[in-house]
Amino acid sequence: MKCLKIAVQKSGRLHDDSLQILKEAGIHIDNGKDQLKAHASNFPLEVLYLRNGDIPQYLEDGVVDIAIIGENLLVEQERALPIAERLGFSKCRLSVAVEKSFPYKEIKDLNGKKIATSYPNSVQHFLDKKGINADIHIISGSVEIAPNIGLADAIVDIVSSGNTLFKNNLIEVEEVLTSEAVLVVSPHITEEKDQILNELQFRLRAVLMARNSRYVLLNIPNEKLENIRQILPGMNSPTVMPLMKAGWSSIHSVIPKESFWEIINELKTHGAEGILVCPIEKMVL
């Protein structure tokens, strides 16, 4: 069987997370030091470590079959490549930032200003949409320093935690777009390799569902069961088991990670006791 060729970032913030999700999907990659190509030992997958900005072209040319890249790169390069999966990591946003002393009140304050960025296409589309006429200065790196040295009045750059902006006396004032890691497919993928991709997606979805869910066990008086059932529908329905203590039951279910604390508080309000929460390794529906 032929190998599915996947491109991942050679270095940078996406590299480690890309390899981690493949590892959690049960794929063991034999990667020696400084290798630019590696094979999985237990899955028909070949990994190519490439420069991030080059990956979309490799996909369009059919050199690689799939890739894990940031969605913002597709937008910036204006590539119409199909996204097979949203992977939920490396979440960030492309934002406008100005110095704290800049008297910014609304987007119109950028009219006639100089904006430094490494994402000129995304910025231009944003400005056009807002009806703003500004002068874009393209900078490859260290965009944050531009206002401080008088090169620009504002910057547009990738923001995750915001720490870099804070350290450079900048504040975020507008969001241009949001981004996360995505699995992208080449338009030239063969039917045989598409079957391998289907198996890979099956594994990735099991990992992603587990990452986004928590397994919860709790004890509840029987007269409260219906109330709890409404809070905890689970995948299909919660598992209910009688306890030795008369009039009590144990409920097992799955809750979404994003609303975890809200659900836990609601469970406590309805009389839940002995709440135990566990991570889920894999989740297959």
Side-chain angles (χ1 to χ4, degrees), residues 247-274:
W248 281 73
S249 294
S250 174
I251 293 184
H252 298 210
S253 189
V254 174
I255 61 176
K257 179 182 176 182
E258 62 181 12
S259 54
F260 169 79
W261 288 112
E262 292 82 357
I263 292 176
I264 292 298
N265 287 334
E266 195 170 357
L267 291 172
K268 290 178 63 179
T269 299
H270 285 82
E273 297 181 4

Side-chain angles (χ1 to χ4, degrees), residues 134-229:
D135 186 11
I136 298 176
H137 286 244
I138 303 174
I139 299 178
S140 297
S142 301
V143 176
E144 296 84 0
I145 199 174
N148 185 259
I149 61 176
L151 181 63
D153 304 291
I155 68 165
V156 176
D157 202 14
I158 292 293
V159 178
S160 50
S161 67
N163 287 338
T164 303
L165 295 181
F166 178 79
K167 291 176 182 177
N168 286 275
N169 200 38
L170 300 172
I171 57 172
E172 188 176 355
V173 294
E174 298 284 345
E175 184 179 280
V176 176
L177 59 87
T178 58
S179 178
E180 65 180 293
V182 291
L183 181 69
V184 184
V185 183
S186 168
H188 303 290
I189 190 170
T190 65
E191 184 176 346
E192 181 180 9
K193 290 187 176 182
D194 192 51
Q195 293 177 359
I196 304 172
L197 173 59
N198 288 337
E199 172 59 28
L200 176 61
Q201 287 183 258
F202 171 77
R203 295 190 183 196
L204 291 176
R205 287 167 185 165
V207 172
L208 293 172
M209 289 180 66
R211 285 183 176 183
N212 294 326
S213 305
R214 292 293 181 266
Y215 191 78
V216 61
L217 302 86
L218 57 99
N219 299 331
I220 194 75
N222 289 341
E223 64 267 18
K224 300 284 189 178
L225 282 175
E226 183 57 29
N227 291 335
I228 296 299
R229 190 189 68 80

